[in-house]
Structures are given as structure tokens and as C-alpha cells.
Amino acid sequence: MKEAMFYKKLEGDLVVCGLCPHGCRIKNGNFGICRVRKNMDGILYTTNYEKVSSWALDPIEKKPLYHFYPGSLIFSVGSFGCNFRCKFCQNWQIAQITQVPTQEVSPYKLVEIAESQKDNLGIAFTYNEPTIWYEYVYDVVRISKERGLKNVLVTNGFIEEKPLREILPYIDAMNIDLKAFKEDFYRDITAGKLSGVLRTIEISKEFCHVEITTLLIPGLNDEDDEIERLALWLSSIDKRIPLHFSKYFPNYKLNLPPTPVERVKRARQIAKNFLYYVYTGNIDDEEGSTTYCKKCGAPLIKRNYYNIRKLIKGDVCEKCHEKLDIVM
């Protein structure tokens, strides 16, 4: 364990965590909602420091990141715990449960392991929620940045502004889950708040490459009006932000029918009225997985799930010479 960052001590061994917008008031001996930050005699500790539950060398497209070093591999790592309670959680075995098998890996050791991976771009913190692994991630990214590795966060975006701004100078790219565009969905389905996530997107876009993922759940967040409002809001920040729509499957505590493929495709068509780059994930859809030039519409990168074929040689469209919105 390690003493946590971003908390305040109150009278009677009570502490208030300042890492995420929950602002948990934690009594002595208790955990915050994330299940990893514990008050021990008036000191807040992070109990998942150096505890790694899983790692793998993944295609960067799996994060998903389509406009960040396409075709690369990245060393992906996770721990346990989450500050959300998503009823549809896809990684609930490590995100919603604390009794998870782990191994202790120091920050320097993790960077060494990442460096040993062949053709590896860097480190992606994923699988569970990386922001509640903050102290460890913060220590790792400062080392890996010095070693020339790229740092990626795959996150729900539910973090306070101060810790976000402190770590962002070391982050190269983020995929942020925008789970819906209404507060009642966040309140009832995730036990979170939309407003905090929107703030994270706005701030992060100033510092690093950002892509957005929305899992479409029938009857909960897939209405045309909501898709339109979500895409319009993103376009007000930057029309070049890539947006990924994914198909929902029953998982964890939610047993609604899977999202129809045509619903995912329709969401893409609606969002394309506002954004240059909108993708469909985890379905067989060549058009929805292809990157097109925003100016002339020429295909730039074609994808078959995690296999890609680049139709470009440099950083401009070979047909119209428009500069590409892709980090390479």
C-alpha cells in the first residue's frame, strides 16, 4: 500500500478523497466507492499500488484508437477496482471485485517489461479504471515518458480537475468512455455523473490525442435525439475527434437484448452530420471501420477488426493533399 494523493483529513480520523467527483467521505477502516482507497487511522491509502491483474500486447485499434499510430502494438496493463458501478460492465471480474489475483510489479519493472516487448509503442492503462490506480499510473508514466514510450489511458473520464491536470503532461492519448448524454443514465446505470466526464473530455483535448467510445444499449442511450446531442457537443470542441459506437451484449447485471447492428450503423450516420470521423466497433462493417479523408472522401485506412491496410504513404491524402488528422 501507498499513501494516496488528493485527500483531506477531517476530525475524528475521517478523510475526504479528492481524486474523483464522488468526493467520498471515508470513515476509519472503510473504503471509498472505488474499493481501493482505504482510510487507515486518518490516512488514506491506495491498496492497489503495484498490483497488476493482467497485461497483454494489444493492437492499438483494440483500445480503440484509430487515429493514433494506426497498426501499432501497445503493452496494455490493468489492476482492479473502479469508481463506477456500470450494470453492463464488460470487465466486471476485475473492475467490480476486489479479490482478484495480482502480482506485484514496481513502476520501474513495468517500464522494463514494456520496453522488452517487440515492436511496442508504449503502455496503455486499461481493463479496469486506470484513474483509481492513480498513484501507480502517475509513477509509471513519468518513467516511461523519459524512456521514449507513449502513454495511453482508456478511462471513464470520472476524475477531478486537479489530478487530471497533474498527470496529463505525461499522457499521449486517451480513449474516454462517454457512456450516454444524459445525467439520469449516469446516475441510474453507472452510479456516476455526466458533468464530470464532459469536463475531462474538454480539458484532455487541450493536452493530448482524444478519442471517444459510446456503447449503445437499446432503449437506454440509443435514441436518435441523444446521439445527435452527443455528436453536436463533441463537434463544439473539435469536429476532428474520432467517435466510436459499439454494440452492447448482455453482461454483469444487465440482461437487455443485444443492440441491433442496424442501430449501431444508424448512430454513425447521425453523428457524421456533426463529426468528421465516426466508427462502428465490434460489428462487421467495412464502411464503418474505414477512415476517410474529411475533404474529398477518399479511403485512407481500411480495417478488418484489428487488421489494417493503409492506403496512405505520408501525412496527407494522396488524392487531394489534405493534411491527415492522424498521429503517426
PDB file of all heavy atoms in Angstrom, residues 198-215:
ATOM      1  N   LEU A 198     -17.724  15.094 -19.047  1.00  0.00           N
ATOM      2  CA  LEU A 198     -17.641  16.131 -20.077  1.00  0.00           C
ATOM      3  C   LEU A 198     -16.490  17.087 -19.791  1.00  0.00           C
ATOM      4  O   LEU A 198     -15.777  17.510 -20.711  1.00  0.00           O
ATOM      5  CB  LEU A 198     -18.965  16.904 -20.147  1.00  0.00           C
ATOM      6  CG  LEU A 198     -20.205  16.097 -20.537  1.00  0.00           C
ATOM      7  CD1 LEU A 198     -21.416  17.024 -20.662  1.00  0.00           C
ATOM      8  CD2 LEU A 198     -19.997  15.316 -21.813  1.00  0.00           C
ATOM      9  N   ARG A 199     -16.291  17.423 -18.530  1.00  0.00           N
ATOM     10  CA  ARG A 199     -15.172  18.308 -18.172  1.00  0.00           C
ATOM     11  C   ARG A 199     -13.837  17.651 -18.509  1.00  0.00           C
ATOM     12  O   ARG A 199     -12.921  18.302 -19.030  1.00  0.00           O
ATOM     13  CB  ARG A 199     -15.231  18.647 -16.682  1.00  0.00           C
ATOM     14  CG  ARG A 199     -14.096  19.567 -16.223  1.00  0.00           C
ATOM     15  CD  ARG A 199     -14.172  19.835 -14.743  1.00  0.00           C
ATOM     16  NE  ARG A 199     -14.099  18.600 -13.982  1.00  0.00           N
ATOM     17  CZ  ARG A 199     -14.355  18.510 -12.675  1.00  0.00           C
ATOM     18  NH1 ARG A 199     -14.719  19.581 -12.010  1.00  0.00           N
ATOM     19  NH2 ARG A 199     -14.256  17.359 -12.043  1.00  0.00           N
ATOM     20  N   THR A 200     -13.721  16.354 -18.239  1.00  0.00           N
ATOM     21  CA  THR A 200     -12.485  15.642 -18.547  1.00  0.00           C
ATOM     22  C   THR A 200     -12.197  15.667 -20.044  1.00  0.00           C
ATOM     23  O   THR A 200     -11.046  15.862 -20.467  1.00  0.00           O
ATOM     24  CB  THR A 200     -12.568  14.189 -18.057  1.00  0.00           C
ATOM     25  OG1 THR A 200     -12.612  14.187 -16.630  1.00  0.00           O
ATOM     26  CG2 THR A 200     -11.369  13.369 -18.511  1.00  0.00           C
ATOM     27  N   ILE A 201     -13.214  15.472 -20.861  1.00  0.00           N
ATOM     28  CA  ILE A 201     -13.021  15.495 -22.314  1.00  0.00           C
ATOM     29  C   ILE A 201     -12.537  16.873 -22.765  1.00  0.00           C
ATOM     30  O   ILE A 201     -11.586  16.995 -23.550  1.00  0.00           O
ATOM     31  CB  ILE A 201     -14.331  15.117 -23.033  1.00  0.00           C
ATOM     32  CG1 ILE A 201     -14.693  13.657 -22.748  1.00  0.00           C
ATOM     33  CG2 ILE A 201     -14.210  15.343 -24.541  1.00  0.00           C
ATOM     34  CD1 ILE A 201     -16.062  13.239 -23.237  1.00  0.00           C
ATOM     35  N   GLU A 202     -13.176  17.912 -22.265  1.00  0.00           N
ATOM     36  CA  GLU A 202     -12.808  19.278 -22.650  1.00  0.00           C
ATOM     37  C   GLU A 202     -11.354  19.585 -22.277  1.00  0.00           C
ATOM     38  O   GLU A 202     -10.597  20.129 -23.093  1.00  0.00           O
ATOM     39  CB  GLU A 202     -13.732  20.275 -21.968  1.00  0.00           C
ATOM     40  CG  GLU A 202     -15.158  20.273 -22.491  1.00  0.00           C
ATOM     41  CD  GLU A 202     -16.069  21.195 -21.712  1.00  0.00           C
ATOM     42  OE1 GLU A 202     -15.938  21.269 -20.472  1.00  0.00           O
ATOM     43  OE2 GLU A 202     -16.907  21.848 -22.347  1.00  0.00           O
ATOM     44  N   ILE A 203     -10.962  19.225 -21.060  1.00  0.00           N
ATOM     45  CA  ILE A 203      -9.602  19.531 -20.602  1.00  0.00           C
ATOM     46  C   ILE A 203      -8.577  18.668 -21.323  1.00  0.00           C
ATOM     47  O   ILE A 203      -7.542  19.161 -21.791  1.00  0.00           O
ATOM     48  CB  ILE A 203      -9.491  19.321 -19.082  1.00  0.00           C
ATOM     49  CG1 ILE A 203     -10.378  20.327 -18.342  1.00  0.00           C
ATOM     50  CG2 ILE A 203      -8.037  19.450 -18.620  1.00  0.00           C
ATOM     51  CD1 ILE A 203     -10.485  20.062 -16.853  1.00  0.00           C
ATOM     52  N   SER A 204      -8.849  17.375 -21.455  1.00  0.00           N
ATOM     53  CA  SER A 204      -7.873  16.454 -22.035  1.00  0.00           C
ATOM     54  C   SER A 204      -7.565  16.788 -23.484  1.00  0.00           C
ATOM     55  O   SER A 204      -6.429  16.614 -23.941  1.00  0.00           O
ATOM     56  CB  SER A 204      -8.382  15.018 -21.921  1.00  0.00           C
ATOM     57  OG  SER A 204      -8.589  14.655 -20.570  1.00  0.00           O
ATOM     58  N   LYS A 205      -8.572  17.268 -24.210  1.00  0.00           N
ATOM     59  CA  LYS A 205      -8.366  17.593 -25.627  1.00  0.00           C
ATOM     60  C   LYS A 205      -7.314  18.682 -25.800  1.00  0.00           C
ATOM     61  O   LYS A 205      -6.670  18.779 -26.858  1.00  0.00           O
ATOM     62  CB  LYS A 205      -9.694  18.036 -26.255  1.00  0.00           C
ATOM     63  CG  LYS A 205      -9.619  18.242 -27.758  1.00  0.00           C
ATOM     64  CD  LYS A 205      -9.299  16.933 -28.465  1.00  0.00           C
ATOM     65  CE  LYS A 205      -9.208  17.124 -29.970  1.00  0.00           C
ATOM     66  NZ  LYS A 205      -8.064  17.976 -30.377  1.00  0.00           N
ATOM     67  N   GLU A 206      -7.083  19.490 -24.781  1.00  0.00           N
ATOM     68  CA  GLU A 206      -6.078  20.551 -24.857  1.00  0.00           C
ATOM     69  C   GLU A 206      -4.663  20.009 -24.753  1.00  0.00           C
ATOM     70  O   GLU A 206      -3.707  20.676 -25.164  1.00  0.00           O
ATOM     71  CB  GLU A 206      -6.297  21.561 -23.733  1.00  0.00           C
ATOM     72  CG  GLU A 206      -7.663  22.246 -23.745  1.00  0.00           C
ATOM     73  CD  GLU A 206      -7.867  23.106 -22.506  1.00  0.00           C
ATOM     74  OE1 GLU A 206      -6.907  23.240 -21.713  1.00  0.00           O
ATOM     75  OE2 GLU A 206      -8.975  23.636 -22.335  1.00  0.00           O
ATOM     76  N   PHE A 207      -4.503  18.785 -24.199  1.00  0.00           N
ATOM     77  CA  PHE A 207      -3.184  18.263 -23.884  1.00  0.00           C
ATOM     78  C   PHE A 207      -2.748  17.080 -24.751  1.00  0.00           C
ATOM     79  O   PHE A 207      -1.553  16.891 -24.979  1.00  0.00           O
ATOM     80  CB  PHE A 207      -3.134  17.811 -22.417  1.00  0.00           C
ATOM     81  CG  PHE A 207      -3.125  18.935 -21.426  1.00  0.00           C
ATOM     82  CD1 PHE A 207      -4.302  19.527 -21.024  1.00  0.00           C
ATOM     83  CD2 PHE A 207      -1.928  19.397 -20.903  1.00  0.00           C
ATOM     84  CE1 PHE A 207      -4.312  20.560 -20.104  1.00  0.00           C
ATOM     85  CE2 PHE A 207      -1.917  20.437 -19.981  1.00  0.00           C
ATOM     86  CZ  PHE A 207      -3.108  21.018 -19.581  1.00  0.00           C
ATOM     87  N   CYS A 208      -3.690  16.246 -25.194  1.00  0.00           N
ATOM     88  CA  CYS A 208      -3.291  15.007 -25.853  1.00  0.00           C
ATOM     89  C   CYS A 208      -4.329  14.587 -26.884  1.00  0.00           C
ATOM     90  O   CYS A 208      -5.396  15.206 -27.004  1.00  0.00           O
ATOM     91  CB  CYS A 208      -3.095  13.891 -24.826  1.00  0.00           C
ATOM     92  SG  CYS A 208      -4.609  13.362 -23.979  1.00  0.00           S
ATOM     93  N   HIS A 209      -4.017  13.542 -27.606  1.00  0.00           N
ATOM     94  CA  HIS A 209      -4.955  12.984 -28.577  1.00  0.00           C
ATOM     95  C   HIS A 209      -6.103  12.311 -27.822  1.00  0.00           C
ATOM     96  O   HIS A 209      -5.876  11.543 -26.884  1.00  0.00           O
ATOM     97  CB  HIS A 209      -4.247  11.966 -29.461  1.00  0.00           C
ATOM     98  CG  HIS A 209      -5.155  11.295 -30.427  1.00  0.00           C
ATOM     99  ND1 HIS A 209      -5.608  11.905 -31.571  1.00  0.00           N
ATOM    100  CD2 HIS A 209      -5.714  10.047 -30.423  1.00  0.00           C
ATOM    101  CE1 HIS A 209      -6.396  11.084 -32.231  1.00  0.00           C
ATOM    102  NE2 HIS A 209      -6.486   9.958 -31.560  1.00  0.00           N
ATOM    103  N   VAL A 210      -7.336  12.575 -28.254  1.00  0.00           N
ATOM    104  CA  VAL A 210      -8.517  12.039 -27.576  1.00  0.00           C
ATOM    105  C   VAL A 210      -9.453  11.385 -28.586  1.00  0.00           C
ATOM    106  O   VAL A 210      -9.734  11.948 -29.656  1.00  0.00           O
ATOM    107  CB  VAL A 210      -9.284  13.153 -26.819  1.00  0.00           C
ATOM    108  CG1 VAL A 210     -10.634  12.643 -26.321  1.00  0.00           C
ATOM    109  CG2 VAL A 210      -8.453  13.668 -25.650  1.00  0.00           C
ATOM    110  N   GLU A 211      -9.928  10.189 -28.259  1.00  0.00           N
ATOM    111  CA  GLU A 211     -10.993   9.535 -28.997  1.00  0.00           C
ATOM    112  C   GLU A 211     -12.071   9.124 -27.993  1.00  0.00           C
ATOM    113  O   GLU A 211     -11.791   8.938 -26.808  1.00  0.00           O
ATOM    114  CB  GLU A 211     -10.478   8.329 -29.783  1.00  0.00           C
ATOM    115  CG  GLU A 211      -9.377   8.714 -30.774  1.00  0.00           C
ATOM    116  CD  GLU A 211      -9.034   7.637 -31.796  1.00  0.00           C
ATOM    117  OE1 GLU A 211      -9.895   6.759 -32.063  1.00  0.00           O
ATOM    118  OE2 GLU A 211      -7.896   7.684 -32.333  1.00  0.00           O
ATOM    119  N   ILE A 212     -13.298   9.000 -28.472  1.00  0.00           N
ATOM    120  CA  ILE A 212     -14.455   8.758 -27.611  1.00  0.00           C
ATOM    121  C   ILE A 212     -15.130   7.445 -28.004  1.00  0.00           C
ATOM    122  O   ILE A 212     -15.249   7.131 -29.193  1.00  0.00           O
ATOM    123  CB  ILE A 212     -15.475   9.906 -27.724  1.00  0.00           C
ATOM    124  CG1 ILE A 212     -14.819  11.253 -27.405  1.00  0.00           C
ATOM    125  CG2 ILE A 212     -16.675   9.648 -26.813  1.00  0.00           C
ATOM    126  CD1 ILE A 212     -14.280  11.375 -26.000  1.00  0.00           C
ATOM    127  N   THR A 213     -15.584   6.691 -27.006  1.00  0.00           N
ATOM    128  CA  THR A 213     -16.345   5.471 -27.256  1.00  0.00           C
ATOM    129  C   THR A 213     -17.689   5.537 -26.535  1.00  0.00           C
ATOM    130  O   THR A 213     -17.747   5.921 -25.367  1.00  0.00           O
ATOM    131  CB  THR A 213     -15.581   4.224 -26.771  1.00  0.00           C
ATOM    132  OG1 THR A 213     -14.374   4.082 -27.539  1.00  0.00           O
ATOM    133  CG2 THR A 213     -16.417   2.967 -26.958  1.00  0.00           C
ATOM    134  N   THR A 214     -18.750   5.158 -27.250  1.00  0.00           N
ATOM    135  CA  THR A 214     -20.077   5.051 -26.653  1.00  0.00           C
ATOM    136  C   THR A 214     -20.655   3.681 -26.960  1.00  0.00           C
ATOM    137  O   THR A 214     -20.786   3.309 -28.133  1.00  0.00           O
ATOM    138  CB  THR A 214     -21.021   6.136 -27.191  1.00  0.00           C
ATOM    139  OG1 THR A 214     -20.501   7.432 -26.866  1.00  0.00           O
ATOM    140  CG2 THR A 214     -22.417   5.988 -26.583  1.00  0.00           C
ATOM    141  N   LEU A 215     -20.942   2.920 -25.915  1.00  0.00           N
ATOM    142  CA  LEU A 215     -21.594   1.623 -26.051  1.00  0.00           C
ATOM    143  C   LEU A 215     -23.091   1.857 -26.123  1.00  0.00           C
ATOM    144  O   LEU A 215     -23.687   2.390 -25.184  1.00  0.00           O
ATOM    145  CB  LEU A 215     -21.244   0.731 -24.857  1.00  0.00           C
ATOM    146  CG  LEU A 215     -21.809  -0.680 -24.862  1.00  0.00           C
ATOM    147  CD1 LEU A 215     -21.077  -1.551 -25.880  1.00  0.00           C
ATOM    148  CD2 LEU A 215     -21.705  -1.299 -23.470  1.00  0.00           C
TER     149      LEU A 215
END
